[in-house]
Amino acid sequence: MWLVEFVDGHLHGVILPVEPKLVITGSNKDIGSETLYVPELLSVSTRWEFCNDKNIICIRGVNKNDRLKRLKPGRIYRLSGMAFFVYQEGTRNPQWLSYLARKYQAVIMFTLLLNTGLGLGMWMVYQTNQYTQIAEHLTQLNGSYVKNGKLKVPNSASFILLPEALQANAEIVEANNLQILSQPVVELVSSDSKQPVSYKVINKVDRDQIQVETFEKDNRVMAVLGEYGLSFNKINDTWFVNDNAKAAIVLRANGLQDIIPSVSVRNDSTQVIDNANFPYSIFYSSTSRGYIYDDKYRYWVGSNVPLLGVIQSISRNKVIFKDHNQTRVYFIQS
């Protein structure tokens, strides 16, 4: 026996048999023993007719073309405010989950959208808070740098402000008397000309050392020689002075004895030729004659070189010229 059970509204809990048919209508015409008259729920023009063929059950009157609609056992249908399901006696199994999902579909969708919106809003707030914290940490890290996987922090005050996760991988730089720079890129220039100066970077364990040639020793030598009235000039690594013996005494007295081997006597009648006035290349060999040359001529010992004089000798470190009573020397720079 097929049964129809109502689960909502005025007919909630009512169970009616479909043997062989059941009519539900809002009209009071042609009411028989197999008719359920419900004018408070259905209009006068509405007429539903349930009929079964032992193994299947159908309903007529719900489609516009009045065709039969097959009903699935256990599935809960909702028509015109009435909810019901059909089943064969002894096999009652209403599908509440799918029915409730359809019934409250709008509420479920609204709840999902609301939760999604709330979740997205909370995530955006969290991200904004994270970005704010990152900006604060970057401000606290001003002057810090990363080396060998460790964050180097310039002072303990900045270290304390860091979160524990960063503190675990950070170290405080002990600057002592050293200068902490605000940027990793440094330009070394002369304070007078503002031109770049030569330097060398030495990597230390806890710092980088920049070595700049200040010519301190040369300045001390010039100061000492000038203080004692000695005339001098320096060519390459050799100091030429007018009084070799006196220079040795004053240098030793001022703690510059390591310079003495580089001191040579200077003949004031000898003119030193600088690079600007020597437009020649030099060939020197201990086994053959040396000469100087340019792109047009070669000059051997004894040759008269324009503006310089006659070549007297060509040695490993200098070329000597004689022009009447004037001696000129060009020191070969290695």
Side-chain angles (χ1 to χ4, degrees), residues 72-118:
K72 295 181 179 179
R75 177 182 174 85
I76 300 176
Y77 296 90
R78 187 174 183 86
L79 300 172
S80 299
M82 290 191 297
F84 61 88
F85 66 96
V86 297
Y87 62 97
Q88 285 184 315
E89 187 176 13
T91 60
R92 184 179 184 275
N93 185 26
Q95 299 175 2
W96 291 106
L97 186 62
S98 61
Y99 168 67
L100 294 175
R102 295 195 308 272
K103 181 178 180 180
Y104 298 105
Q105 181 177 7
V107 176
I108 294 173
M109 291 299 297
F110 175 76
T111 303
L112 289 175
L113 291 174
L114 180 62
N115 289 336
T116 302
L118 289 175

Side-chain angles (χ1 to χ4, degrees), residues 46-65:
T46 300
R47 177 185 174 86
W48 297 342
E49 182 177 336
F50 293 86
C51 57
N52 73 78
D53 185 12
K54 293 185 178 180
N55 294 326
I56 62 173
I57 185 170
C58 302
I59 185 172
R60 187 192 304 274
V62 296
N63 292 329
K64 292 182 179 180
N65 55 8

Side-chain angles (χ1 to χ4, degrees), residues 167-180:
Q167 288 184 6
N169 203 41
E171 295 178 351
I172 300 175
V173 177
E174 298 294 342
N176 297 327
N177 295 324
L178 302 177
Q179 177 67 46
I180 296 180

Side-chain angles (χ1 to χ4, degrees), residues 42 60 99 126 275 278:
L42 301 180
R60 187 192 304 274
Y99 168 67
Y126 172 78
N275 289 332
F278 192 82

Side-chain angles (χ1 to χ4, degrees), residues 7-50:
V7 296
D8 203 357
H10 297 296
L11 299 178
H12 180 70
V14 175
I15 302 175
L16 298 175
V18 182
E19 287 294 335
K21 68 176 183 177
L22 172 67
V23 177
I24 301 176
T25 180
S27 173
N28 57 5
K29 294 181 180 180
D30 300 327
I31 297 177
S33 59
E34 298 175 340
T35 302
L36 177 64
Y37 175 50
V38 284
E40 69 276 13
L41 296 177
L42 301 180
S43 64
V44 175
S45 61
T46 300
R47 177 185 174 86
W48 297 342
E49 182 177 336
F50 293 86

